[in-house]
Amino acid sequence: MNFALTDDQIMIRDAAESFLADVADSAAVRKAAADPRGYDEAAWRRIAGELGWCGIPVPEAHGGLGLGAVELMLVQEQIGRRLLPSPFFATVCLAATVLREVASDAAQAEFLPRIAAGALRASAPLPSDAGGWTAAASMLRATPESGHWRLQGVAERLPDAQDAELLLLFAETADGPGLFAVPAESQGLQVVTAEGWDGTRRFSRVLLDAVLPDAARIDEARRADGYARSFALAQLYVAAEQLGAAQQCLDLTVAYTATRKQFGRAIAGFQAVKHRCAEMMVRIEALRSAVYGAAAQAAGDAGVASLQLECAMAKALGSDALFACAQEAIQLHGGVGFTWEYDPQLYFKRAQASSHWLGSADALREGIAGRLLAPDNTPPAMAV
Amino acid sequence: MNLQSTAADEAFRNDIAAWMRAHLVGEYAAIRHRGGPGDEEADPALRKAWERELAKGGWTCVGWPREFGGRGLSIEQQVIFHEEYARAGGPGRMGHIGEGLIGPALIQYGSAAQKQEFLPGIVAGTTFWAQGYSEPGAGSDLANVQTRAERQADGSWKVTGQKIWTSLAHESEWIFVLARGEAGTKGNKGLVFLLLPLAQPGIEIRPIRQLGGGSEFNEVFFDGAVARAEHLVGAVGDGWKVAMGLLEAERGTSTLGQQMHFLHELELVIAAARATGQDRNPGIRQRIAQAWMGLRVQRYNALRMLSGESTTLRREALIGKYYWSNWHRDLGKLAMDILGPLGDVPSDDPAIRPLQQLFFFSRADTIYAGTNEIQLNLIAERGLGMPREARPAVG
Ligand SMILES: Cc1cc2nc3c(=O)[nH]c(=O)nc-3n(C[C@H](O)[C@H](O)[C@H](O)COP(=O)(O)OP(=O)(O)OC[C@H]3O[C@@H](n4cnc5c(N)ncnc54)[C@H](O)[C@@H]3O)c2cc1C
């Protein structure tokens, strides 16, 4: 039992931290968010190229690094700190994870090497329903027609899909939900992108009335657990971003209060200010413990049931902690905290937007309670 | 990062579980899950006998080095011991002040003669200790202690003053006292750390009734009480260093055992929710899930702490006390909200009594061992480098 990061993990984290300090300061992030693409193409090319981040969760057999949830979590934490707008989250944390956990060997062999090489931008839905991907399937229907599939309906809330080449869509079929690999270039497909308050991550809806080849359906019957596993992992990666973002709210606040003087002294010296920063740190370290713990479970041999609980926990705590820290950052900055110019507003908007991704804290807690209070409950729910 | 345990660890785990199954039976069955803060009045005599039973099995002072009578367990094994002890319902330890506080302090700062005189009685579960730090005028500001220790011609010390909130003094043979050994000194200068037998003419112990009705702590009055010359720990003026070192001696290995006990309490809370139908109340369901998450956080936080994940700042260690104590207080309120009117009447029902004790006693968790406010000062100052309070904060 050892919770320490390995040297390699520390190296990955530190490299991510220094790279992002270079390419994703506040000015760069604001510029990228305003770009027609929604991200900085040069930074993405380096992430996808020399840094090799896209290969982190991809098995070596598919040209990846064969690393796992811990390494991806560490990178996500750093990305969250900077609110880096990038296809990375949608491509690697969502699409590659869904492919790994749900798709057939053939589909994995087709797409994962291209993702690992940074040669393919992909997206998949990021629903606001705690119940799993099936909610994402309900508005899209797939019907078999001689030798091909017809997909009709809407897929909602695809992050950074405005510029993706591959869309992974969940659709209702006669035998339950299925996973479809849909090239963004397909005929009969329209991507409608909205610009939200949180400019650092765009969401699209995809309108479809498209005919796709038979091979477009890529889910694998024996990986039925994969739906729940990939959903849980995605929650973990969002929670890791929230952790990084919350940490940045605290760092900004500690730095600002150390220099801002009122009543003849730095406001950091007032106990009301100190205590609220300390409370931010308590929430952040608690969240860090939860995120690290859930990642260690994911990298270990946790069964799907406990993985779901652990990741739901991390995401629920992440939503609450980030919002609390973002609103404190505004408050403790005073008037400048209310301006467009200072950064707390960016984190505040991300806090609200991400609060419901893959389930709001309330919904996730209700799910956990359902498990703890189920009539037949014995471990794993209570296992410590 | 690796959550797996080795085969040897698992075998060790099974050994302890088997030992507990074989020994926590017969007369001792009555004190399963009993004792500990808030329940210290549960059969102290039997719980002292249990300490000797533990000692016979070699299960006291498991983290102490072998040369001092300990078992010399590794950190991992200590964690496993504390977990299995609590999982089996092991009684709250009467000997914890000796084993966890004064013993390690003597190992670090005591003379050879002091080690020889006092450590064996702690290991054997025959000598019990009380902690005499707080005074009416020295609580959070511990360095303000005013109890006087005057050196006599024969080298012994005459102690005059008052300690307060002294847990279990009425069940103890010895007390360690932080006193002012150099007249006219202020703050943390000039203090001495003395060991005194409680049964002597110059000492009077008066119980203080707590808000839950019991009297687990006391006032201790010193009126010319005597500490022998060889019972000064460290040198004159070292009192503060020894007193603080002792508070830091606890390395967190018992935290995971404490969590096992908290899990037991959470299970009682869930059972109460089922029994009362409150398990269908959406607000209660939210709070039960929140409590479960808080317990997971504590576990992972302790694992981070024990593996030294953030080697320099130890941020997880800094938040530990504040986090668990507030979590525990919330759990007590949740328990009583679930019980509703059933909680309003003092009860002997094993499904209710522990929850009432939890509710009342957990109010103390955010006061002793550094109040919430002092913890937040420490977190801000040590963890975030924010300006210090006017006087150095005390842990
Ligand atoms: C159940 C229990 C068992 C105990 N057992 C022992 C024992 O065995 N031995 C022993 O020596 N002591 C023991 N104590 C005493 C305990 O350590 C003290 O109660 C504690 O240190 C607080 O001191 P105080 O009670 O004097 O409160 P005070 O220090 O007077 O605090 C009152 C309030 O003021 C706040 N406050 C004080 N200073 C500051 C500051 N700088 N900034 C902001 N707020 C501040 C506090 O947080 C608190 O809310 C025990 C206490 C309890 C409740």
Side-chain angles (χ1 to χ4, degrees), chain A residues 1-4 271 274-275 279 285 288-289 292 297 310 313 362 365-366 374 381-384, chain B residues 1-4 267 274 285-286 289-290 292 296 299-301 304 307 322 373 377 381 387 389:
Chain A
M1 197 170 50
N2 187 352
F3 230 56
Q271 201 179 60
K274 275 172 73 175
H275 279 191
E279 275 170 354
E285 293 309 316
R288 192 183 311 281
S289 293
Y292 282 27
Q297 297 278 4
E310 299 288 331
M313 161 184 73
D362 284 351
R365 275 190 294 264
E366 173 52 36
M382 295 297 284
V384 165
Chain B
M1 255 190 207
N2 171 12
L3 294 175
Q4 265 76 346
E267 284 168 343
R274 288 210 169 96
R285 291 168 70 85
Q286 289 284 318
Q290 191 75 20
W292 179 84
R296 297 303 292 170
R299 175 168 175 81
Y300 291 135
N301 205 64
R304 270 176 77 195
S307 61
Y322 183 83
E373 292 71 25
N377 283 346
E381 292 166 15
E389 294 293 296

Side-chain angles (χ1 to χ4, degrees), chain B residues 7 51 57 89 101 117 126 133 201 217 228 263 285 300 349-350 395:
Chain B
E51 292 285 319
L101 297 179
E117 181 177 2
T126 50
Y133 282 11
F217 57 29
R228 301 223 311 262
L263 174 63
R285 291 168 70 85
Y300 291 135
D349 184 332

Side-chain angles (χ1 to χ4, degrees), chain A residues 271 275, chain B residues 37-38 96-97 101 129-142 163-169 175-176 210 216-218 361 363-375 377 381 389-395:
Chain A
Q271 201 179 60
H275 279 191
Chain B
H96 74 274
I97 298 176
L101 297 179
W129 285 83
Q131 176 182 22
Y133 282 11
S134 304
E135 297 180 4
S140 299
D141 186 11
L142 179 59
K163 295 293 174 181
I164 193 169
W165 321 124
T166 320
S167 298
L168 293 172
I175 185 167
F176 50 94
Q210 300 174 324
E216 300 181 359
F217 57 29
N218 306 272
F361 194 81
R363 308 322 289 189
D365 291 337
T366 52
I367 297 172
Y368 66 76
T371 67
N372 264 358
E373 292 71 25
I374 296 300
Q375 294 294 334
N377 283 346
E381 292 166 15
E389 294 293 296
R391 297 189 57 162
V394 171

Side-chain angles (χ1 to χ4, degrees), chain A residues 168-296:
Chain A
L168 295 181
L169 303 179
F170 300 93
E172 281 299 334
T173 72
D175 57 352
L179 177 65
F180 291 81
V182 183
E185 297 295 279
S186 306
Q187 290 282 322
L189 178 155
Q190 197 192 343
V191 177
V192 184
T193 304
E195 292 200 18
W197 287 106
D198 170 21
T200 60
R201 183 159 293 154
R202 292 186 193 172
F203 281 83
S204 303
R205 63 200 310 236
V206 181
L207 312 173
L208 291 108
D209 185 357
V211 174
L212 296 167
D214 191 40
R217 179 167 182 182
I218 58 170
D219 54 297
E220 167 72 56
R222 73 192 155 86
R223 298 206 169 103
D225 266 2
Y227 286 99
R229 286 188 62 86
S230 55
F231 192 80
L233 289 169
Q235 287 174 321
L236 170 64
Y237 302 140
V238 171
E241 273 185 342
Q242 291 173 318
L243 169 62
Q247 181 71 57
Q248 184 70 1
C249 291
L250 176 57
D251 292 350
L252 289 171
T253 305
V254 169
Y256 182 77
T257 58
T259 51
R260 170 69 177 165
K261 287 209 174 78
Q262 285 294 280
F263 300 97
R265 59 181 172 131
I267 57 172
F270 296 113
Q271 201 179 60
V273 173
K274 275 172 73 175
H275 279 191
R276 287 163 67 178
C277 290
E279 275 170 354
M280 288 164 79
M281 181 173 136
V282 170
R283 295 190 85 129
I284 289 166
E285 293 309 316
L287 173 60
R288 192 183 311 281
S289 293
V291 167
Y292 282 27

